[in-house]
Amino acid sequence: MKNTILCFLFIFGIFFISAVAQNDKDYVDSLVSEFTNSLENRDIDEYFTLNKYCLGTTEMFKLKDGNMCVSKGTYYQVYIFWKEVGQAMIKKINNCGMYFSLPLSNPDVMDFVGINRKQLNERVVKKTGS
C-alpha cells in the first residue's frame, strides 16, 4: 500500500511539473503572439524570433518593482528582432513577461538575415566553429 501511494505521488509530481512547465511555454507564446500582432498592426511584417529554452532549469529574478519571478521547471526566453523607421530593434520576452523594446546599436543582424533569409529558412543552422 505504501509503495502504491509513493508511486502515485511520483507520477502525479511528474505530471504536475510537466503541466506547469507547459503553462510557462504557453504564457511566453501568448506574449510573443500579442507582440508580433502589434507589430503587424503597425504594418511591420518583417521580423524574426530567436527562441531559447532550458529544460529542467528554474530561474529566479528580482524585478525592478521588487517582486520575484521564478520559472517553473523550464526557462523560456524569446528575442524578437525587427526594423522600425530604419532602426533595428529587439525585445525580450520570458517567463517573467515582456521587457522594454530597445534599439540595436549595430543593425548587422538584420542585414545578415535579410541577405540570407532563404538559406536560414531551408538549412540547419550550425553552432559557430562546427
Side-chain angles (χ1 to χ4, degrees):
M1 179 69 169
K2 210 180 215 183
N3 287 342
T4 303
I5 293 172
L6 287 175
C7 184
F8 174 75
L9 290 175
F10 178 73
I11 292 170
F12 178 75
I14 290 174
F15 175 76
F16 180 74
I17 289 170
S18 296
V20 169
Q22 185 63 40
N23 287 340
D24 275 354
K25 183 179 184 323
D26 290 344
Y27 174 68
V28 173
D29 287 346
S30 72
L31 291 177
V32 170
S33 180
E34 177 185 324
F35 184 73
T36 56
N37 285 338
S38 77
L39 288 177
E40 291 169 2
N41 289 338
R42 295 191 330 252
D43 293 326
I44 299 169
D45 57 358
E46 289 192 32
Y47 58 85
F48 66 93
T49 61
L50 169 66
N51 301 355
K52 297 178 76 175
Y53 63 93
C54 189
L55 294 173
T57 296
T58 299
E59 296 286 335
M60 185 179 283
F61 300 94
K62 186 171 187 176
L63 303 174
K64 285 187 177 184
D65 65 4
N67 289 327
M68 293 299 293
C69 176
V70 180
S71 66
K72 301 169 186 85
T74 301
Y75 178 62
Y76 294 95
Q77 56 187 337
V78 177
Y79 297 92
I80 303 170
F81 297 83
W82 74 99
K83 253 187 186 175
E84 189 166 7
V85 193
Q87 175 67 54
M89 302 290 291
I90 186 171
K91 181 179 218 48
K92 178 181 177 179
I93 299 174
N94 68 10
N95 302 58
C96 300
M98 280 196 228
Y99 292 77
F100 289 113
S101 300
L102 297 172
L104 290 173
S105 59
N106 185 335
D108 287 352
V109 69
M110 297 302 294
D111 296 337
F112 178 83
V113 169
I115 293 168
N116 298 287
R117 182 174 307 277
K118 183 177 179 188
Q119 293 87 345
L120 289 168
N121 284 328
E122 294 175 358
R123 297 185 183 164
V124 174
V125 178
K126 295 181 180 180
K127 293 180 182 179
T128 303
S130 296

